[in-house]
C-alpha cells in the first residue's frame, strides 16, 4: 500500500504517522515531500516523484489532496487501474488567499482532476466536503463551454466524512484564567483580532494569563509584538515548545480561542478541548459541527468575543463540550475498517 503526501506540514505529518502506526500489519510504502513552497508542491509533485516511485504496483494508493493524482497516473500507466483514495485535509476552493498572493485556478484544478481520478474521496469534515463541491460547481459555471454535466454529482457520490483522529489529552491541574492561542501567527488565522480582543479584555480589568504557542514567521508578526509589549506580565508561555510541554500547556488551559478565517477540522482546538479547555470559536467553517452555540461567536465580532471571555472569566467557565466523536478512540475502528483488504 502506498501513502503519498506532497506536503508534510505539521497536521499532515501527524495524520500520516498515525495512519501507518495504526495498521502496522500492512506493508506501507511512503513518499512525502517537505511542507514548504506550496505552489511548487501542489503542481510539481508528479515531477518530483518521476523517478522516485517504487517499481512494484501497489494494491491501494492513499493520497492527500495535495497530490496531483491525475498527472501521476498519466505518467505511470501501471497505476491507472490501482484503487486510489484521495484524502482532503483542506480544499483550495475555500482556502483564503493572502493579500500578497494572486489567486490561481491551478491548485483548484489539481484537486478537481485528482478527485475525478480517485475512487473514494475522504474529507475531515462536512464543511470541507461541502465547500469543495460548492467550489467545483461555482468554478465550472464560469467556464465558457464544453463543460460536462453532472460533475459535482459524480464527485458527491464518492464522498465520505472521516476526520483525522485526534489523540485525546489527559487533563492536568487547570488554570481557569489561562487563555491559549495554539495556531499559526499568519493572515488566515487573524491573530490581529485575537490581539485586539486581549487588549480590550485587559482594559476591562479582567484577570487572565496567556499561553502564546504556534508557529510564527520572521520577522515577528505585529500582532505578537503588540501583545509582548502591552501585556508582558500576563504571558506565561511564548514560542514553539517541545511536544511534552505543548501537551502540558494545553491540558492546563481554561480557554482556547480561535479567530480564524478558515478551518477544515481544527485539530489544535480539538486537542485542547479534549483535555477540558473551553473553546471560543467563530460561528462558521467546521465549528458548528463540533461545538454548541454557547461556544461560538459571530464571525469577526470583536465585541462578542471580548464579552464572552469577560463573562466566563468573571463568572466561571462552563463545562467543556464533548468532542469524543472527533478523537482517536472513536475513529480508530473506522480507519482500520477502511484500510482492511480487499480494497
Amino acid at each position: 500500500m502506498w501513502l503519498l503526501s506532497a506536503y508534510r506540514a505539521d497536521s499532515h505529518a501527524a495524520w500520516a504517522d498515525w495512519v501507518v502506526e495504526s495498521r502496522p500489519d500492512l506493508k506501507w510504502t511512503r513518499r512525502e515531500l517537505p511542507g514548504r513552497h506550496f505552489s511548487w508542491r501542489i503542481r510539481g509533485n508528479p515531477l518530483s516523484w518521476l523517478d522516485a516511485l517504487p517499481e512494484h504496483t501497489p494494491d491501494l494508493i492513499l493520497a492527500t489532496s495535495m497530490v496531483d493524482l491525475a498527472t501521476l497516473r498519466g505518467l505511470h500507466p501501471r497505476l491507472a487501474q490501482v484503487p486510489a483514495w484521495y484524502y482532503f485535509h483542506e480544499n483550495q476552493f475555500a482556502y483564503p488567499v493572502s493579500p500578497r498572493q494572486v489567486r490561481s485556478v491551478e491548485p483548484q484544478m489539481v484537486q478537481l482532476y485528482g478527485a475525478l481520478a480517485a475512487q473514494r474521496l475522504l474529507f475531515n469534515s462536512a464543511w470541507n466536503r461541502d465547500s469543495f463541491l460548492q467550489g467545483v460547481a461555482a468554478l465550472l459555471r464560469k467556464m465558457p463551454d464544453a463543460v460536462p454535466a453532472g460533475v459535482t454529482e459524480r464527485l458527491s457520490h464518492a464522498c465520505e466524512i472521516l476526520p483525522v483522529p485526534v489523540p485525546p489529552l489527559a487533563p492536568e491541574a487547570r488554570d481557569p484564567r489561562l487563555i491559549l492561542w495554539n495556531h499559526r501567527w499568519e493572515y488566515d488565522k487573524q491573530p490581529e483580532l485575537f490581539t485586539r480582543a486581549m487588549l480590550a479584555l485587559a482594559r476591562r480589568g479582567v484577570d487572565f494569563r496567556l499561553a502564546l504557542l504556534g508557529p510564527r514567521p520572521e520577522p515577528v508578526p505585529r500582532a505578537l509584538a503588540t501583545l509582548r509589549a502591552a501585556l508582558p506580565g500576563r504571558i506565561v508561555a511564548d514560542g514553539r515548545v517541545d511536544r511534552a510541554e505543548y501537551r502540558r500547556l494545553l491540558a492546563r488551559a481554561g480557554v482556547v480561542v480561535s479567530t480564524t478565517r478558515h478551518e477544515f477540522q481544527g485539530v489544535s482546538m480539538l486537542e485542547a478541548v479534549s483535555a477540558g479547555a473551553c473553546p471560543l470559536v467563530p460561528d462558521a467553517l467546521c465549528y458548528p459541527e463540533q461545538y454548541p452555540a454557547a461556544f461560538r461567536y459571530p464571525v469577526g465580532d470583536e465585541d462578542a468575543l471580548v464579552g464572552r471571555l469577560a463573562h466566563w472569566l468573571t463568572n466561571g467557565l462552563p463545562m467543556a463540550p464533548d468532542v469524543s466523536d472527533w478523537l482517536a478512540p472513536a475513529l480508530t475502528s473506522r480507519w482500520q475498517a477502511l484500510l482492511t483488504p480487499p480494497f
Side-chain angles (χ1 to χ4, degrees):
M1 181 183 299
W2 289 4
L3 188 151
L4 304 179
S5 176
Y7 201 77
R8 188 177 164 84
D10 289 351
S11 59
H12 295 224
W15 167 82
D17 293 345
W18 185 92
V19 166
V20 170
E21 290 167 5
S22 72
R23 291 304 307 266
D25 54 311
L26 299 178
K27 186 176 181 180
W28 292 96
T29 298
R30 297 172 67 167
R31 291 294 183 270
E32 296 171 279
L33 295 168
R36 56 177 181 262
H37 311 311
F38 169 83
S39 297
W40 165 234
R41 285 288 179 266
I42 197 167
R43 199 65 185 92
N45 56 84
L47 187 59
S48 297
W49 285 327
L50 184 63
D51 300 315
L53 295 181
E55 293 183 359
H56 73 273
T57 299
D59 297 323
L60 175 72
I61 298 172
L62 176 60
T64 72
S65 61
M66 284 288 294
V67 174
D68 187 350
L69 182 62
T71 299
L72 204 67
R73 285 189 185 274
L75 291 173
H76 302 273
R78 64 193 172 90
L79 303 179
Q81 300 304 316
V82 175
W85 300 346
Y86 211 37
Y87 193 77
F88 284 81
H89 291 277
E90 46 72 33
N91 77 79
Q92 289 300 306
F93 295 93
Y95 208 101
V97 175
S98 162
R100 298 186 301 274
Q101 294 175 313
V102 176
R103 181 173 290 280
S104 169
V105 75
E106 282 282 312
Q108 297 175 353
M109 294 303 295
V110 166
Q111 293 189 333
L112 172 55
Y113 288 143
L116 289 168
Q119 282 68 51
R120 300 175 78 167
L121 309 180
L122 308 173
F123 293 83
N124 59 2
S125 68
W127 153 250
N128 194 357
R129 175 200 61 197
D130 295 347
S131 58
F132 172 73
L133 294 174
Q134 291 162 8
V136 168
L139 176 66
L140 295 182
R141 283 196 297 270
K142 297 177 183 177
M143 299 300 107
D145 61 11
V147 176
V151 172
T152 54
E153 290 77 8
R154 186 183 314 179
L155 294 174
S156 67
H157 292 313
C159 292
E160 303 173 51
I161 308 301
L162 191 56
V164 172
V166 177
L169 301 183
E172 296 195 7
R174 188 166 312 286
D175 178 354
R177 297 187 178 278
L178 179 59
I179 299 175
L180 172 71
W181 169 279
N182 58 338
H183 318 288
R184 288 181 289 105
W185 291 81
E186 296 185 24
Y187 74 97
D188 55 314
K189 301 299 184 181
Q190 296 197 112
E192 298 83 4
L193 175 56
F194 175 75
T195 292
R196 292 196 303 270
M198 295 305 100
L199 297 179
L201 201 60
R203 287 194 297 269
R204 292 191 181 197
V206 177
D207 180 25
F208 66 93
R209 286 163 286 284
L210 291 171
L212 306 177
L213 307 181
R216 61 280 313 270
E218 293 293 341
V220 175
R222 181 178 300 178
L224 179 55
T226 298
L227 283 175
R228 287 172 172 174
L231 305 175
R234 298 177 185 263
I235 299 173
V236 301
D238 181 5
R240 298 204 73 173
V241 296
D242 63 36
R243 186 64 185 171
E245 177 64 8
Y246 178 79
R247 293 169 68 95
R248 187 183 71 82
L249 287 165
L250 265 60
R252 281 182 53 209
V255 181
V256 57
V257 174
S258 171
T259 54
T260 190
R261 292 173 55 199
H262 94 275
E263 198 66 85
F264 295 98
Q265 181 175 342
V267 169
S268 63
M269 293 290 298
L270 288 166
E271 285 182 314
V273 178
S274 76
C278 289
L280 192 52
V281 299
D283 188 13
L285 311 170
C286 66
Y287 292 134
E289 301 172 53
Q290 299 170 330
Y291 308 119
F295 299 94
R296 309 194 306 262
Y297 63 92
V299 175
D301 190 333
E302 181 182 328
D303 291 339
L305 171 58
V306 173
R308 191 79 57 85
L309 285 172
H311 177 76
W312 285 357
L313 294 171
T314 302
N315 298 288
L317 300 178
M319 182 178 293
D322 178 12
V323 293
S324 56
D325 287 347
W326 297 82
L327 303 181
L331 292 168
T332 297
S333 60
R334 291 180 58 194
W335 275 99
Q336 289 184 339
L338 181 81
L339 297 174
T340 297
F343 305 116

Coordinates of all heavy atoms in Angstrom, one line a residue, residues 175-179 198 201-210 233-234 255 309-310 312-315 317:
D175 N -5.7 25.9 35.0 CA -5.7 27.3 35.4 C -6.9 27.9 34.6 O -6.8 28.2 33.4 CB -4.4 28.0 34.9 CG -4.4 29.5 35.2 OD1 -5.4 30.0 35.6 OD2 -3.3 30.1 35.0
P176 N -8.0 28.2 35.2 CA -9.2 28.7 34.5 C -9.0 30.0 33.9 O -9.9 30.4 33.0 CB -10.3 28.7 35.6 CG -9.6 28.8 36.9 CD -8.3 28.0 36.7
R177 N -8.0 30.7 34.2 CA -7.8 32.1 33.7 C -6.6 32.1 32.6 O -6.2 33.1 32.2 CB -7.4 33.1 34.8 CG -8.6 33.3 35.7 CD -8.4 34.4 36.7 NE -9.5 34.5 37.6 CZ -10.6 35.2 37.3 NH1 -10.7 35.8 36.1 NH2 -11.6 35.3 38.1
L178 N -6.2 30.9 32.2 CA -5.2 30.8 31.2 C -5.9 30.7 29.8 O -6.6 29.7 29.5 CB -4.3 29.6 31.4 CG -3.2 29.3 30.4 CD1 -2.3 30.5 30.3 CD2 -2.4 28.0 30.7
I179 N -5.6 31.7 29.0 CA -6.2 31.7 27.6 C -5.1 31.2 26.7 O -4.0 31.7 26.7 CB -6.6 33.1 27.2 CG1 -7.7 33.6 28.2 CG2 -7.1 33.2 25.8 CD1 -8.2 35.1 27.9
M198 N -7.6 40.6 23.3 CA -6.8 40.5 24.6 C -6.6 41.9 25.2 O -6.7 42.1 26.4 CB -5.5 39.8 24.3 CG -5.7 38.3 23.9 SD -6.7 37.3 25.0 CE -8.2 37.3 24.1
L201 N -9.8 43.1 26.7 CA -10.1 42.3 27.9 C -9.2 42.9 29.1 O -9.8 43.1 30.2 CB -9.7 40.9 27.7 CG -10.4 39.8 28.6 CD1 -11.9 39.8 28.5 CD2 -9.8 38.4 28.3
A202 N -8.0 43.2 28.8 CA -7.2 43.8 29.9 C -7.7 45.2 30.3 O -7.6 45.5 31.5 CB -5.7 43.9 29.3
R203 N -8.2 46.0 29.3 CA -8.7 47.3 29.7 C -9.9 47.2 30.6 O -10.2 48.1 31.4 CB -9.0 48.1 28.4 CG -7.8 48.6 27.6 CD -8.2 49.6 26.6 NE -9.1 49.1 25.6 CZ -8.7 48.5 24.4 NH1 -7.4 48.4 24.2 NH2 -9.5 48.1 23.6
R204 N -10.6 46.1 30.5 CA -11.8 45.9 31.4 C -11.4 45.5 32.8 O -12.2 45.3 33.7 CB -12.7 44.8 30.8 CG -13.4 45.2 29.5 CD -14.5 44.2 29.2 NE -15.2 44.4 28.0 CZ -16.4 43.9 27.7 NH1 -17.0 43.0 28.5 NH2 -17.0 44.2 26.5
G205 N -10.1 45.3 33.0 CA -9.6 44.9 34.3 C -9.8 43.4 34.6 O -9.8 43.0 35.8
V206 N -10.0 42.6 33.6 CA -10.2 41.1 33.8 C -8.9 40.5 34.1 O -7.9 40.7 33.4 CB -10.9 40.5 32.6 CG1 -11.1 39.0 32.8 CG2 -12.3 41.2 32.3
D207 N -8.9 39.6 35.0 CA -7.6 38.8 35.3 C -7.5 37.6 34.4 O -8.4 36.8 34.3 CB -7.7 38.4 36.8 CG -6.4 37.6 37.2 OD1 -5.4 37.8 36.6 OD2 -6.5 36.8 38.1
F208 N -6.4 37.5 33.7 CA -6.2 36.4 32.8 C -4.7 36.3 32.5 O -3.9 37.2 32.7 CB -7.0 36.5 31.5 CG -6.5 37.7 30.6 CD1 -5.6 37.5 29.6 CD2 -7.1 38.9 30.7 CE1 -5.2 38.5 28.8 CE2 -6.7 40.0 29.9 CZ -5.8 39.8 28.9
R209 N -4.3 35.1 32.0 CA -2.9 34.9 31.6 C -3.0 34.3 30.1 O -4.0 33.9 29.7 CB -2.3 33.9 32.5 CG -1.9 34.5 33.9 CD -1.6 33.5 34.9 NE -2.8 32.8 35.4 CZ -3.7 33.4 36.3 NH1 -3.5 34.7 36.7 NH2 -4.7 32.8 36.7
L210 N -1.8 34.4 29.5 CA -1.8 34.0 28.1 C -0.7 32.9 27.8 O 0.4 33.1 28.3 CB -1.5 35.2 27.2 CG -2.6 36.3 27.1 CD1 -2.0 37.5 26.3 CD2 -3.8 35.7 26.3
G233 N 3.5 40.9 31.5 CA 3.3 40.3 32.8 C 2.2 39.2 32.7 O 2.1 38.4 33.7
R234 N 1.4 39.1 31.7 CA 0.4 38.1 31.6 C 0.8 36.9 30.8 O 0.1 35.9 30.8 CB -0.9 38.7 31.0 CG -1.5 39.9 31.8 CD -2.7 40.4 31.0 NE -3.3 41.6 31.7 CZ -4.3 41.6 32.5 NH1 -4.9 40.4 32.8 NH2 -4.8 42.7 33.0
V255 N -9.3 28.3 28.6 CA -10.0 28.7 27.4 C -9.0 28.6 26.2 O -7.8 28.9 26.4 CB -10.5 30.1 27.5 CG1 -11.2 30.5 26.2 CG2 -11.4 30.3 28.7
L309 N -15.6 36.2 26.7 CA -14.5 35.9 27.5 C -14.6 36.5 28.9 O -14.3 35.9 30.0 CB -13.2 36.3 26.8 CG -12.7 35.5 25.7 CD1 -11.5 36.2 25.0 CD2 -12.2 34.1 26.2
A310 N -15.0 37.8 28.9 CA -15.1 38.5 30.2 C -16.1 37.8 31.1 O -15.9 37.7 32.3 CB -15.5 40.0 29.9
W312 N -17.1 34.6 31.1 CA -16.6 33.4 31.5 C -15.5 33.6 32.6 O -15.5 32.9 33.7 CB -15.9 32.6 30.4 CG -16.9 32.0 29.4 CD1 -18.2 31.9 29.5 CD2 -16.5 31.2 28.3 NE1 -18.8 31.2 28.5 CE2 -17.8 30.8 27.7 CE3 -15.4 30.9 27.6 CZ2 -17.8 30.1 26.5 CZ3 -15.4 30.2 26.4 CH2 -16.6 29.7 25.9
L313 N -14.6 34.5 32.4 CA -13.5 34.7 33.4 C -14.0 35.3 34.7 O -13.3 35.2 35.7 CB -12.4 35.5 32.7 CG -11.7 34.8 31.6 CD1 -10.8 35.8 30.9 CD2 -10.9 33.6 32.0
T314 N -15.1 36.0 34.6 CA -15.6 36.7 35.8 C -16.6 35.8 36.6 O -16.6 35.7 37.8 CB -16.4 38.0 35.4 OG1 -15.5 38.9 34.7 CG2 -16.9 38.7 36.7
N315 N -17.4 35.0 35.9 CA -18.5 34.2 36.5 C -18.2 32.7 36.5 O -19.0 32.0 37.1 CB -19.8 34.5 35.7 CG -20.2 35.9 35.8 OD1 -20.6 36.4 36.9 ND2 -20.1 36.6 34.7
L317 N -16.1 29.3 34.2 CA -16.2 28.7 32.9 C -17.3 27.6 32.8 O -17.6 26.9 33.8 CB -14.9 28.0 32.6 CG -13.6 28.8 32.6 CD1 -12.4 28.0 32.3 CD2 -13.7 29.9 31.5

